[in-house]
Amino acid sequence: MPQLPTSAPVTATEDLLRLEHQVCFALNSASRAFGGFYREALRDLELTYPQYLAMLTLWEHRELPVKRIGELLRLDSGTLSPLLKRLEAAGLVQRTRSPQDERSVLVSLTPAGAALRERAEQVPLRIAAATGLDPAELRALHGMLQGLTDRLDTASGATGRE
Amino acid sequence: MPQLPTSAPVTATEDLLRLEHQVCFALNSASRAFGGFYREALRDLELTYPQYLAMLTLWEHRELPVKRIGELLRLDSGTLSPLLKRLEAAGLVQRTRSPQDERSVLVSLTPAGAALRERAEQVPLRIAAATGLDPAELRALHGMLQGLTDRLDTASGATGRE
DNA sequence: CACAACTTAGTTGCGCACAACTCAATGGTT
DNA sequence: AACCATTGAGTTGTGCGCAACTAAGTTGTG
């Protein structure tokens, strides 16, 4: 970090704010660095990272309504609808209206989509190796991030709406 | 986490991979949660979060070539060119070709852009409060994320190119 | 039953991120 | 000087993320 020619005295508060900037920027950078790494690892599967996440939920649950995928991935229909259409166009998933509730669209794996799981299983191996973190560190990081997301979501939810 | 109806025995490797998934997903989520919070805090400044980051670099350095902003923010010209044009259209920055090197474009603050700094200073206060983390935790998180980004960048750089 | 309130997907529009490309300026090298 | 690889911005195209909106189905209430 290069020293900057601004006002000399740095208070504890200023220091905290600077640090907070660095943290959220570091978060943003790390997320994009991960994205780049996944992009490479997923190239031969012809999946983007968000598409891969959607497939993960389906490999685990076989069939899910769009709404539920959105809850699991923290995404809304504005993002999911076109994404799922692309997965359908690629022949990996099928979308059908639920007979019980015609509003709901059930997304399920096609045979090709289910088959892709095996090829996808080698992907996280490379990623885990590239992080250079051991399980304990991963666990610690995961806990911090999850707590952070929860606090930010409830904070913006509380002040922004309701 | 609901139990899934796959093969029963979960090996240590499988567990690691599952955890790794959670970590990079948690990273992604936390980053977007931050984004949402900044969106709200920056609404009256009429800045997006990436635009705010660009302004931060200029508030610190007064004038920078596009190339240098890209290095600081880990962004390329494909992202920065239109972003900086929007900031110029908003009257916050000025872009001029460098006389020394006609390839380089120098971005500098307009009076309006410089004046915005004061109004922007209240923003990180809200953010820092919302994280609910003390300085030590912020520092730890920052260190982890920075190391992670470095490892991922060099790993993909090493295997992908060169 | 009628009707309003709510829920679920989908669409549109905008900005960001990134790959792939173009173009002009620069800096060697012979 | 002529040539060519490199560098710095910019453009184009694709996909994601989100706000705002529409449309259709469902539910609750009188």
Side-chain angles (χ1 to χ4, degrees):
Chain A
M1 274 290 140
Q3 208 57 31
L4 60 158
T6 51
S7 48
V10 173
T11 70
T13 316
E14 276 174 11
D15 195 45
L16 175 66
L17 299 186
R18 179 174 308 263
L19 185 59
E20 174 277 324
H21 269 136
Q22 288 171 0
V23 166
C24 79
F25 172 68
L27 199 53
N28 187 295
S29 286
S31 178
R32 288 191 286 124
F34 251 119
F37 207 85
Y38 267 103
R39 197 184 326 281
E40 206 177 313
L42 292 170
R43 201 186 306 282
D44 33 326
L45 302 187
E46 310 219 57
L47 288 178
T48 65
Y49 177 57
Q51 287 167 8
Y52 172 71
L53 288 179
M55 292 302 291
L56 274 182
T57 67
L58 290 169
W59 286 325
E60 205 172 299
H61 299 98
R62 191 82 205 173
E63 174 173 87
L64 288 170
V66 173
K67 164 84 173 179
R68 183 81 188 109
I69 300 178
E71 290 168 359
L72 290 170
L73 301 186
R74 203 186 168 283
L75 291 171
D76 68 358
S77 70
T79 301
L80 282 176
S81 286
L83 186 153
L84 293 170
K85 279 185 137 183
R86 280 187 282 271
L87 288 179
E88 187 177 43
L92 300 176
V93 307
Q94 196 181 358
R95 296 182 312 141
T96 54
R97 289 273 161 191
S98 163
Q100 283 77 28
D101 186 341
E102 287 280 336
R103 292 170 300 180
S104 181
V105 167
L106 298 175
V107 185
S108 58
L109 291 167
T110 62
L116 195 64
R117 178 180 190 165
E118 210 170 328
R119 287 175 61 206
E121 265 163 13
Q122 46 135 25
V123 169
L125 266 165
R126 295 205 243 164
I127 309 288
T131 64
L133 298 179
D134 61 51
E137 290 175 309
L138 286 173
R139 227 177 298 274
L141 183 56
H142 178 246
M144 262 191 187
L145 292 172
Q146 204 159 276
L148 203 50
T149 303
D150 288 350
R151 277 191 294 278
L152 288 170
D153 274 346
T154 61
S156 72
T159 62
R161 287 173 284 281
E162 287 159 320
Chain B
M1 276 289 141
Q3 209 56 31
L4 60 160
T6 51
S7 48
V10 173
T11 70
T13 316
E14 276 175 10
D15 193 45
L16 174 65
L17 299 187
R18 178 175 307 263
L19 184 60
E20 175 276 325
H21 273 137
Q22 291 171 3
V23 166
C24 78
F25 172 67
L27 198 52
N28 187 295
S29 286
S31 178
R32 287 190 287 121
F34 252 119
F37 209 84
Y38 267 103
R39 197 183 328 283
E40 207 177 312
L42 291 171
R43 203 185 306 281
D44 32 327
L45 301 188
E46 310 219 58
L47 288 178
T48 65
Y49 177 56
Q51 287 166 9
Y52 171 71
L53 289 179
M55 291 302 291
L56 275 182
T57 68
L58 290 170
W59 285 325
E60 206 172 300
H61 298 99
R62 191 82 206 174
E63 174 173 87
L64 287 170
V66 173
K67 165 83 175 182
R68 183 82 187 109
I69 299 178
E71 290 169 357
L72 290 170
L73 301 186
R74 202 187 169 284
L75 291 171
D76 68 358
S77 69
T79 301
L80 282 176
S81 286
L83 185 152
L84 293 171
K85 279 185 138 184
R86 280 187 283 272
L87 289 180
E88 187 177 42
L92 300 176
V93 307
Q94 195 182 357
R95 296 183 312 142
T96 55
R97 289 274 160 191
S98 164
Q100 283 77 28
D101 186 341
E102 286 283 336
R103 292 169 302 182
S104 181
V105 167
L106 298 175
V107 185
S108 57
L109 291 167
T110 62
L116 195 65
R117 179 179 191 165
E118 210 170 328
R119 287 176 60 204
E121 265 163 12
Q122 47 135 24
V123 168
L125 267 164
R126 297 205 242 165
I127 310 288
T131 64
L133 298 178
D134 61 51
E137 290 174 309
L138 285 174
R139 226 175 297 274
L141 185 56
H142 180 243
M144 263 192 184
L145 293 172
Q146 205 159 276
L148 204 51
T149 303
D150 287 350
R151 277 191 295 278
L152 289 169
D153 274 345
T154 63
S156 72
T159 62
R161 286 172 285 283
E162 292 163 311

